[in-house]
Amino acid sequence: VQHLRRAYKDGRGDFGAILETNVTRVLAEIDHLDEIARAFSRYGTAPQDRAPAVAVNVGAVVLDVLALERMGDDDVRWLYDAPNEPVDIMALAQADELREVLLNLLENARLAQARSVMVSVVTDATRVTIVVHDDGTGVAADVMSRVFEPHFSTRTSGSGLGLAISRRLIEGWGGMITLVSPERGGTEVRIELQSAT
């Protein structure tokens, strides 16, 4: 919506195409918000009742999430580093849920006043690792051990469920998530998934 407003104010000649693209994305995001609402109820779902992990194109999910973030009206640089972009990088997960996890991480970076966010994808014989590094305010050492606790948030407006749900989903796929505030500043989140190739 911010992108539409900016394009209209600028009198863009291709406004019709921009409108069509943005309306399509807005409608898709409404569906996604509905899915997020259901995710809150999934948090309490027993592991055996969740959909099993399947082969997911991690590269495609990352590129889609970054494309959505780049449409926003802010000064954040959303960067992607992976072997031979774009590339099919297959790992065990659920595509919609992985998208939800990544959107949560990128939104956390934006709210931490990051100006640059780099998403890297690294592969080896058995794992696919997604690394999200931002140059935002970071996480204080005294609360680092609590960031994955349900209802814990470093923001007064946060629900405290984003990272808790993310960890529950990732561990349900047989993966793991870790978060650190490295010496170079900001926050780094690592998601390790089982390779599906």
Side-chain angles (χ1 to χ4, degrees), residues 76-91:
V76 182
R77 292 170 50 233
W78 303 100
L79 308 170
Y80 180 53
D81 179 32
N84 305 316
E85 176 193 355
V87 66
D88 290 340
I89 305 170
M90 306 303 291

Side-chain angles (χ1 to χ4, degrees), residues 92-165:
L92 294 178
Q94 282 285 329
D96 288 345
E97 293 175 348
L98 178 59
R99 188 173 184 271
E100 178 183 327
V101 167
L102 291 173
L103 283 170
N104 177 64
L105 296 180
L106 298 188
E107 178 68 3
N108 284 350
R110 188 180 66 77
L111 292 172
Q113 294 149 11
R115 299 275 54 95
S116 179
V117 180
M118 170 69 77
V119 182
S120 305
V121 181
V122 181
T123 63
D124 63 28
T126 61
R127 290 172 303 182
V128 173
T129 303
I130 305 167
V131 181
V132 179
H133 181 267
D134 69 67
D135 63 354
T137 55
V139 178
D142 61 332
V143 298
M144 184 66 72
S145 64
R146 301 190 59 204
V147 294
F148 293 108
E149 291 179 10
H151 305 295
F152 176 79
S153 177
T154 58
R155 301 188 313 271
T156 56
S157 60
S159 69
L161 283 175
L163 287 175
I165 290 173

